[in-house]
Every structure is written in C-alpha cells, then in structure tokens.
Amino acid sequence: MGRVALVTGGTRGIGKAISARLKADGYEVAANYSGNAEAAKLCEEELAIKCYRFNVSSFEETGASLQQIERDLGPVDVVVNNAGITRDAPFHKMSLEQWNEVIDTDLSSVFNVTRQVWDGMRERGFGRVINISSINGQKGQFGQANYSAAKAGLIGFTKALAQEGAKRGITVNAVAPGYIDTDMVRAVPEKVLEGIVAGIPVGRLGEAGEIASICAYLASEEAAFITGATMTVNGGQYITG
Ligand code: CAA
C-alpha cells in the first residue's frame, strides 16, 4: 500500500490534476470536495479514487471526515491544501461576506485540515504539507484584497510551520501558481483575462498538470531537504527572488 494523500478541492481544476498525478505515482488518494457532487462522481470513476464531501471551513466537519478517511485508507501522510474560492470585487464594493467566505475557505481551512493530521505526522516522523498559494498572494491583485490576503497568509503559515515540522520529518511548502487554465480563471471577464495573458512572458495560461508535477515532487522522499519554500509556477509573470 502506498502512502495516503489528501487533496482538498481535489475533484476539479488544479486539485483534480494533483489527485490524478498522486494516484499515478502510487498514493492512496482521498479527494475532498464541497459542493459539486457530479464532478466528484466523475472523478471517482475516472481516477478510481475515493472522494469525500466536507466543508474545509468547518473544523468539526473536517475532523469527522478525516477520521473517516483514516478508517478507509489509513493515516494521512501527505496533505495538499488546495481548496479555494474567489469572490472578486474592488475593495470599495467588497462585502463582509465576500471577505469572510474567502478567508474561511482559502486560509482558515488550512488550519482546520493541517491541525488535525499534524499530531499523527509528528508521531510517525513523516509528513508532507503542500499549500496552494497564488501569484496574487505574492504580488497582490486589483479586485482581490480578500484572496490576496488569504494566499499571502498561506505563505506565512508555510514558513512558520516548516520550522516546527523540520525535526519530525515533516516538510511544509507552498506552491504559488500563476494563471492556470481552470474554471476559476476562465470566470475572469474575457477582456481582463486577455490583458493578463498578454503580461505572461511564456505567452499562455498554465496547465493544471504543471502544478501537479511540482506537488508530486514536493510530496516525494527526494524533496526531504526542501521546506518552508514557495515554488513559483507562473510562466514568468511575476519573478520573485
Ligand atoms: N488595475 C487598475 N485598475 C483596474 C484594474 C487593474 N488591474 N482592473 C480594473 N480596474 C479599474 C477599471 O479600469 C475601472 O476604472 P474606471 O472606473 O476608472 O473605469 C474600475 O477599476 C472598475 O472596473 P470594473 O468596472 O471592471 O469593476 P467591476 O466591479 O465590474 O469588476 C473586478 C472589478 C471584479 C476586479 C474585475 O476587474 C475582475 O474580475 N478582475 C480580475 C481579477 C482577477 O485577476 N482575478 C483572478 C481570478 S483567478 C485566480 O484568482 C486564480 C489565481 O490564483 C491566479
């Protein structure tokens, strides 16, 4: 039996590509989803993995599902915190609800999931935590004060937790995708998206598989010396030091 990996938001977009890649690499994969049962069913059929419906912004719901996953597949060795939403609006139009929804789903979820697998990883002396941040957490984005704050928060979380996991065989890293060809990016108004793509030196949107491959590497034994890092995968749109 391979190691057990949980991918939140793992049935669509980038998350689905990560679930598929980890499955192909021999992991027992649990893919989480919150709303789209049809996509989850398709994912179960296509990838032959188990999908679990729970809301990552609820600590209790997440805890109950994690117990179920452990009963079904065994202790979780690899967590990919990928679940995320956007509620874009210029700040002067942003509601408290839009702020809270994004902070709860994109940032607090990472506490809810990671906190509840952390003790087990410490006890077993192995763990991989991979947090899917964003280019817009690195550079900020007009219309995304909520999302940029959450995604930047993930980078701080990664750097702090990496120091705590290091002596226990647990690595904690972030991946910061640029604009990837997913439903989330396709929802950006066409004219706005055209302008964004024009600013990507590679000249195209990224592919979900290009994020999955870096996650697979970070999950592997080979990546044991990489921790606290943020892997930037954005076609050169924003080059960080
Ligand atoms: N920089 C400066 N000004 C901008 C701007 C920008 N990037 N984008 C819009 N504006 C300006 C407009 O020119 C306009 O100015 P005027 O009033 O002077 O004409 C003003 O802001 C209002 O623009 P809109 O009428 O478009 O405002 P809106 O309320 O209808 O929509 C918006 C604003 C929702 C932010 C829309 O512009 C938008 O969707 N932008 C894209 C945001 C984005 O990139 N989201 C990423 C989603 S994908 C993702 O998040 C995945 C990932 O990790 C990368």
Side-chain angles (χ1 to χ4, degrees):
M1 291 274 272
R3 292 194 190 279
V4 175
L6 166 65
V7 184
T8 69
T11 63
R12 293 196 299 142
I14 290 175
K16 185 176 182 183
I18 297 169
S19 296
R21 174 61 194 261
L22 293 179
K23 169 76 181 177
D25 285 0
Y27 293 83
E28 297 286 329
V29 178
N32 148 264
Y33 70 104
S34 70
N36 192 330
E38 207 175 306
K41 191 163 170 283
L42 201 67
C43 190
E44 286 201 324
E45 287 165 7
E46 275 176 22
L47 306 183
I49 60 172
K50 275 182 85 85
C51 298
Y52 295 83
R53 183 175 197 153
F54 58 94
N55 181 352
V56 287
S57 62
S58 159
F59 186 81
E60 291 72 25
E61 225 180 275
T62 298
S65 295
L66 282 168
Q67 285 179 16
Q68 186 61 48
I69 291 167
E70 301 215 339
R71 279 195 296 273
D72 292 348
L73 304 177
V76 174
D77 303 301
V78 176
V79 166
V80 185
N81 287 308
N82 165 75
I85 57 168
T86 54
R87 294 289 180 266
D88 295 355
F91 193 61
H92 63 276
K93 292 186 194 166
M94 188 175 288
S95 65
L96 177 62
E97 194 186 7
Q98 287 174 315
W99 174 265
N100 283 337
E101 271 187 278
V102 170
I103 298 297
D104 291 349
T105 306
D106 298 15
L107 181 59
S108 298
S109 60
V110 172
F111 175 83
N112 296 338
V113 174
T114 312
R115 181 65 189 85
Q116 300 190 78
V117 295
W118 189 251
D119 295 358
M121 288 179 173
R122 280 168 50 91
E123 278 157 23
R124 294 187 301 278
F126 180 87
R128 295 283 186 266
V129 178
I130 301 165
N131 300 314
I132 305 301
S133 177
S134 165
I135 184 175
N136 293 342
Q138 297 175 299
K139 72 168 185 59
Q141 170 63 28
F142 187 104
Q144 288 199 307
N146 48 5
Y147 186 86
S148 298
K151 294 296 185 179
L154 290 185
I155 293 174
F157 172 82
T158 298
K159 290 178 176 177
L161 203 57
Q163 297 177 38
E164 296 192 21
K167 284 217 164 64
R168 304 272 183 160
I170 309 170
T171 67
V172 185
N173 291 291
V175 175
Y179 283 72
I180 308 299
D181 192 357
T182 60
D183 291 346
M184 182 185 273
V185 165
R186 291 280 168 202
V188 172
E190 205 180 325
K191 278 268 162 292
V192 177
L193 190 56
E194 271 173 28
I196 290 169
V197 174
I200 303 175
V202 168
R204 62 169 172 86
L205 295 175
E207 306 208 345
E210 292 173 315
I211 305 303
S213 53
I214 188 93
C215 291
Y217 178 65
L218 290 173
S220 73
E221 298 276 356
E222 270 183 299
F225 205 57
I226 303 176
T227 195
T230 299
M231 302 289 181
T232 295
V233 188
N234 64 27
Q237 187 186 350
Y238 184 68
I239 297 175
T240 57

